[in-house]
């Protein structure tokens, strides 16, 4: 099992462009979580998805950000019209179901987004 | 509101010395607390969770509901323990609320 995969690992965008971040969960996992880490801060929850459903997007900025987890393919975090404040590390985590015995989430290596 | 605090951004200790990384939380309900660790150039990984009362790599953490704390302890630090440590609270069984992290540096 290769673990949670994220690509790209590094992404550079100019202000106003779109950023697409991809996350492939571990095999057999149907729950995906996105977190953002700003410099000098901890990870902050953004959105929780199951296949074809957004379960909780309470941590997602209301504008420019969207996420999906289609029936086939990876989960996508999309940021439209990026601004410098979007520069951060974006982490994806997956779990086999929402309430495992120990509620563990497995993290990907992260995508570091830099907005010029 | 759910919140996790880690008062030390950086903690330096000498090899063989005891280490304690502090974590406090605020949560309305019965908390589930975890410690995650990130070694250099590696992904974030689970170190231990209070519910299983385990000791991993010599680390232990006890949940103190009276003090709302979940401090991570190890009696004798090793150089390979140098890493970033995050305390995390499971928010109503779904997403994690992370603390800002403490960088542990174990000096030879």
């Amino acid at each position: 099992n290769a673990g949670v995969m994220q690509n790209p690992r590094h992404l550079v965008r100019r202000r106003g462009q779109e950023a697409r971040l991809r996350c492939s969960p571990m095999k057999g996992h149907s729950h995906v979580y996105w977190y953002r880490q700003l410099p000098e801060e901890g990870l902050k929850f953004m959105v929780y998805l199951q296949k074809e459903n957004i379960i909780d997007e309470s941590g997602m900025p209301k504008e420019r950000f969207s996420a999906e987890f289609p029936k086939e393919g990876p989960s996508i975090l999309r940021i439209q019209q990026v601004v410098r404040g979007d520069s951060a590390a974006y982490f994806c985590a997956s779990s086999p179901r929402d309430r495992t015995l120990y509620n563990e989430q497995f993290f990907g290596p992260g995508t570091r987004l830099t907005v010029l | 509101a759910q919140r996790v605090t880690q008062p030390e951004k950086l903690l330096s200790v000498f090899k063989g010395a005891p280490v304690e990384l502090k974590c406090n939380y605020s949560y309305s309900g019965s908390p589930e607390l975890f410690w995650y660790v990130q070694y250099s150039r590696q992904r974030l990984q689970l170190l231990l969770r209070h519910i299983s009362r385990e000791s991993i790599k010599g680390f232990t953490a006890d949940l103190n509901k009276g003090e709302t704390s979940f401090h991570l302890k190890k009696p004798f630090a090793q150089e390979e323990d140098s890493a970033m440590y995050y305390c995390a609270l499971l928010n109503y069984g779904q997403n994690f609320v992370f603390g800002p992290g403490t960088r542990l540096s174990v000096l030879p």
Side-chain angles (χ1 to χ4, degrees):
Chain A
N1 198 332
V4 178
M5 306 295 287
Q6 288 188 251
N7 68 81
R9 294 291 308 276
H10 300 274
L11 181 61
V12 179
R13 285 287 178 268
R14 296 192 180 280
R15 279 180 297 167
Q17 291 184 320
E18 179 180 286
R20 281 187 181 233
L21 289 65
R22 294 175 189 76
C23 168
S24 297
M26 285 180 70
K27 189 175 180 181
H29 288 193
S30 56
H31 296 253
V32 165
Y33 311 79
W34 284 94
Y35 295 84
R36 176 166 66 173
Q37 185 176 32
L38 296 170
E40 304 297 320
E41 295 186 18
L43 285 73
K44 297 273 195 303
F45 167 74
M46 298 181 75
V47 62
Y48 163 35
L49 310 105
Q50 295 177 26
K51 286 282 187 182
E52 300 184 281
N53 284 305
I54 295 175
I55 306 302
D56 181 356
E57 55 182 349
S58 58
M60 196 94 107
K62 293 286 185 287
E63 297 176 352
R64 302 188 297 107
F65 284 73
S66 62
E68 63 176 7
F69 188 17
K71 189 176 179 182
E72 301 291 338
S75 174
I76 307 282
L77 179 67
R78 183 180 174 210
I79 312 172
Q80 295 178 289
Q81 299 176 308
V82 295
V83 300
R84 288 221 174 99
D86 297 333
S87 295
Y90 291 83
F91 291 92
C92 169
S94 73
S95 67
R97 54 189 180 277
D98 60 340
R99 289 183 184 275
T100 62
L101 180 61
Y102 292 122
N103 286 308
E104 183 173 355
Q105 293 179 14
F106 297 82
F107 282 80
T111 294
R112 188 163 297 279
L113 172 66
T114 301
V115 180
L116 301 177
Chain B
Q2 300 86 339
R3 193 178 175 203
V4 176
T5 57
Q6 293 178 252
E8 303 132 332
K9 286 183 82 169
L10 173 65
L11 182 63
S12 295
V13 300
F14 286 103
K15 177 182 171 182
V19 62
E20 182 180 49
L21 289 84
K22 291 186 167 55
C23 170
N24 287 89
Y25 66 91
S26 60
Y27 186 68
S28 54
S30 188
E32 288 187 60
L33 285 146
F34 300 71
W35 277 96
Y36 273 82
V37 60
Q38 188 170 28
Y39 300 102
S40 179
R41 298 191 185 86
Q42 294 187 29
R43 62 185 67 192
L44 199 63
Q45 58 186 281
L46 179 67
L47 180 62
L48 56 78
R49 47 208 150 195
H50 91 271
I51 197 169
S52 56
R53 297 183 169 274
E54 56 205 341
S55 173
I56 303 292
K57 299 184 179 181
F59 284 98
T60 59
D62 290 318
L63 178 62
N64 186 322
K65 290 186 179 180
E67 295 182 359
T68 58
S69 68
F70 188 55
H71 303 326
L72 183 68
K73 300 176 185 178
K74 185 169 181 176
F76 308 104
Q78 303 298 315
E79 288 183 69
E80 54 266 30
D81 296 328
S82 295
M84 197 73 187
Y85 290 80
Y86 295 95
C87 184
L89 171 69
L90 191 64
N91 188 23
Y92 300 110
Q94 294 191 152
N95 59 283
F96 281 109
V97 177
F98 283 91
T102 297
R103 182 169 298 283
L104 174 64
S105 178
V106 180
L107 308 171

